[in-house]
Amino acid sequence: MTPSPSTDREGPQVLRREFSLWSAFAFAFAFISPIVALYGIFGLALSAAGPSFWWGFALVFGGQFLVALVFAMLVSRWPLEGSIYQWSRRLLGTSYGWFAGWAYMWTLVIAMATVALGAAGFVATIVGIEAPSGGTLALIALVILLAGTAVNLVGRQALKIFMMASIAAEVIGSVVLGTWLLLFHRNNSLSVLFQGGGADFDGWAYLSGPFLMAVAFIGWSFVGFESAGAIAEEVHEPRRYLPKAVLFSLAFIALVVGYSSLAIILAIPDLDAVAQGAVADPVYETLTAALGHGVAKPVEVMFVIGFLASFLALQTSASRVIWAYARDGALPAAGVLAQLRGKARIPVVAILVTTVVGAGLFLLSVVAGDVYSLMVNFTAGGFYLAFLFPLIGFLVVVLRKAWTPANFSLGRATLPVAVVAVVWASLQFLNISWPRAAFEQRYLDWSVWIGVVVLAVAGLGVLLSVRRRILAVAVIDDVEALDELADELADGKVTADD
């Protein structure tokens, strides 16, 4: 009998479990990256809604924490590589799960490319390139892509070391700088947090307009906590550790981002100029005004570290989703994509695919106009769209009374949390994807919907070509259960007699 495209002679391949609770937490933390989260949205949110946008952090965190609680229950029951893809498939079937993972996979790859391009701007400044062209930025981003690929190919130890270093740099950079600003460079009182609407303040008009736009921007700051589940089969004792990693990473990021943003708001020398969009880079300008121009290079280096860590986590997550698909036989060329190489059993081909796609997106950003803005706009909406698949699936299963709790459970609170999480994610997706008139090129206002249509059409074609070859979920569940048991035996958690 000929083996399945995603199997070898011994059945589906398994990854090595080399990550601990701390490693999974560091991975999710680096994925979100407080520096990337804050720097990417601060100026946009402040210009949209004024200093009162800060309260949006609490709103988005509250909604996302409900999502994280659902994901913690799902990863506790199905600690499988590929997270959103695997959970959705087991909740509402193969085709449903396939499209969930398809949206998630492409969101990760596109986000990876946009983060690399974002880091390229800082690298250009550090090496002394003023006003870099799009081609120059794409070239620098390609170097970052290749360097990140090299780190991922070396193995998990190199990845862990870089993640730990990035956490140290980001916590020191965010918390220490924030504390210094609060203690010695406060230019504004806490009352500015209640002055987002200007002199002619209209509460409802502000909340339904500028504040909602700021919340859409902030949505980018609190995604990535689910990435701890994307590496589930590389983590020791995943049912015990991964729910904690999902919840702790989100909570810690919220504290760091909220604290840092508060410090910057209170330290801005001229809030009116920033709110009117007259200051292109309010974070950097505020730090320079408070600490002097000598701080420029160290701050930019810190930003680069944050962006690189986020890039690595995104590339790792994307490659693992691709590998999970391929192991199931759910992609063309699955046999090649599912191969694990070397003693560390790394999905080399899947990693290289992300490299090739990323390079293609860089090239597209040079030759096809403002593709970068299109990619940035799509990614935030793409994450929330991907989140909706397992959230809706979970709610349906709970309503059918077919849910079987695992190690992590909310008991009687499961249903209300699931309902509110679906409502929140749906409203936030619509808020992000709403085609507000924000760009000169009107098509950019439709970025999310353009991406959804293109991916849906392309995905349907791919799914139809592989649907008959996809392995049953029971095959993968049995393999994962045996591998998890072997891990527990190796760690002495259970004995052969058990």
Side-chain angles (χ1 to χ4, degrees):
M1 180 177 176
T2 303
S4 162
S6 60
T7 64
D8 55 26
R9 293 181 181 178
E10 299 178 353
Q13 300 188 65
V14 295
L15 298 148
R16 287 179 64 102
R17 295 187 185 272
E18 298 184 43
F19 291 134
S20 62
L21 167 61
W22 174 244
S23 301
F25 166 80
F27 185 85
F29 181 94
F31 186 112
I32 308 171
S33 176
I35 285 177
V36 176
L38 179 60
Y39 189 87
I41 63 92
F42 186 88
L44 294 171
L46 187 57
S47 297
S52 298
F53 91 88
W54 186 81
W55 298 103
F57 285 116
L59 175 62
V60 177
F61 168 70
Q64 290 299 83
F65 194 75
L66 296 176
V67 175
L69 286 170
V70 173
F71 286 1
M73 287 187 280
L74 291 171
V75 77
S76 175
R77 174 146 181 216
W78 295 304
L80 296 165
E81 208 83 355
S83 58
I84 284 174
Y85 159 62
Q86 303 284 17
W87 306 334
S88 301
R89 185 181 177 197
R90 283 154 181 77
L91 288 167
L92 290 185
T94 294
S95 296
Y96 183 82
W98 194 96
F99 276 107
W102 182 253
Y104 187 50
M105 176 177 67
W106 278 103
T107 298
L108 290 171
V109 173
I110 293 171
M112 177 194 79
T114 57
V115 167
L117 285 168
F122 291 111
V123 173
T125 303
I126 290 172
V127 300
I129 301 175
E130 297 183 4
S133 65
T136 299
L137 291 176
L139 182 60
I140 297 173
L142 179 61
V143 173
I144 292 171
L145 174 64
L146 295 175
T149 300
V151 172
N152 256 314
L153 292 177
V154 167
R156 298 177 188 87
Q157 289 302 321
L159 191 64
K160 286 193 288 186
I161 291 171
F162 195 93
M163 295 304 178
M164 300 301 180
S166 75
I167 285 182
E170 294 205 50
V171 170
I172 291 172
S174 301
V175 177
V176 173
L177 278 178
T179 301
W180 186 266
L181 292 176
L182 285 173
L183 290 176
F184 304 108
H185 298 280
R186 280 186 58 179
N187 293 308
N188 306 294
S189 68
L190 286 172
S191 63
V192 300
L193 299 179
F194 303 91
Q195 298 173 2
D200 300 323
F201 180 72
D202 182 327
W204 172 248
Y206 173 76
L207 292 174
S208 62
F211 186 74
L212 270 185
M213 183 178 293
V215 167
F217 292 135
I218 292 170
W220 166 257
S221 299
F222 296 116
V223 297
F225 52 88
E226 82 294 338
S227 63
I231 57 169
E233 293 174 52
E234 299 169 76
V235 177
H236 294 291
E237 299 185 68
R239 297 176 194 275
R240 176 185 176 189
Y241 290 145
L242 288 179
K244 298 176 183 177
V246 168
L247 297 173
F248 289 171
S249 61
L250 177 61
F252 191 50
I253 284 289
L255 286 173
V256 174
V257 172
Y259 182 74
S260 301
S261 62
L262 176 64
I264 294 171
I265 289 172
L266 298 183
I268 291 174
D270 188 347
L271 264 175
D272 290 336
V274 173
Q276 293 168 9
V279 179
D281 190 341
V283 176
Y284 182 75
E285 292 295 331
T286 300
L287 293 177
T288 301
L291 306 175
H293 288 281
V295 78
K297 289 287 193 256
V299 168
E300 287 168 349
V301 170
M302 183 180 67
F303 284 168
V304 169
I305 291 173
F307 273 85
L308 290 180
S310 181
F311 167 84
L312 279 172
L314 282 160
Q315 185 183 46
T316 303
S317 297
S319 67
R320 272 34 173 197
V321 176
I322 293 171
W323 180 83
Y325 264 86
R327 180 181 57 173
D328 287 3
L331 285 177
V336 176
L337 291 171
Q339 291 178 8
L340 300 174
R341 305 287 177 88
K343 184 179 179 180
R345 296 206 292 270
I346 298 293
V348 172
V349 179
I351 292 171
L352 293 176
V353 166
T354 67
T355 306
V356 172
V357 175
L361 291 172
F362 297 154
L363 178 62
L364 192 63
S365 71
V366 175
V367 301
D370 197 4
V371 175
Y372 177 73
S373 294
L374 187 67
M375 293 192 298
V376 170
N377 295 342
F378 171 76
T379 50
F383 276 112
Y384 283 86
L385 174 63
F387 290 172
L388 276 169
F389 279 92
L391 289 174
I392 292 172
F394 180 75
L395 178 58
V396 169
V397 170
V398 170
L399 288 173
R400 290 174 177 172
K401 302 186 183 302
W403 174 248
T404 302
N407 292 20
F408 181 86
S409 176
L410 298 180
R412 293 181 178 179
T414 298
L415 179 57
V417 167
V419 170
V420 180
V422 169
V423 171
W424 156 255
S426 300
L427 292 176
Q428 180 68 336
F429 172 72
L430 291 174
N431 184 33
I432 292 170
S433 62
W434 194 263
R436 302 177 178 89
F439 295 89
E440 291 183 7
Q441 302 95 331
R442 184 60 176 146
Y443 73 91
L444 290 176
D445 297 326
W446 292 85
S447 299
V448 176
W449 297 108
I450 291 172
V452 168
V453 171
V454 171
L455 288 180
V457 173
L460 180 60
V462 175
L463 176 60
L464 291 175
S465 71
V466 300
R467 183 67 176 81
R468 294 183 179 180
R469 302 202 304 267
I470 299 177
L471 291 177
V473 294
V475 176
I476 303 303
D477 289 345
D478 289 345
V479 170
E480 188 276 333
L482 288 173
D483 182 58
E484 195 175 340
L485 178 61
D487 178 60
E488 292 177 353
L489 285 168
D491 288 344
K493 301 296 182 182
V494 298
T495 65
D497 293 336
D498 295 331

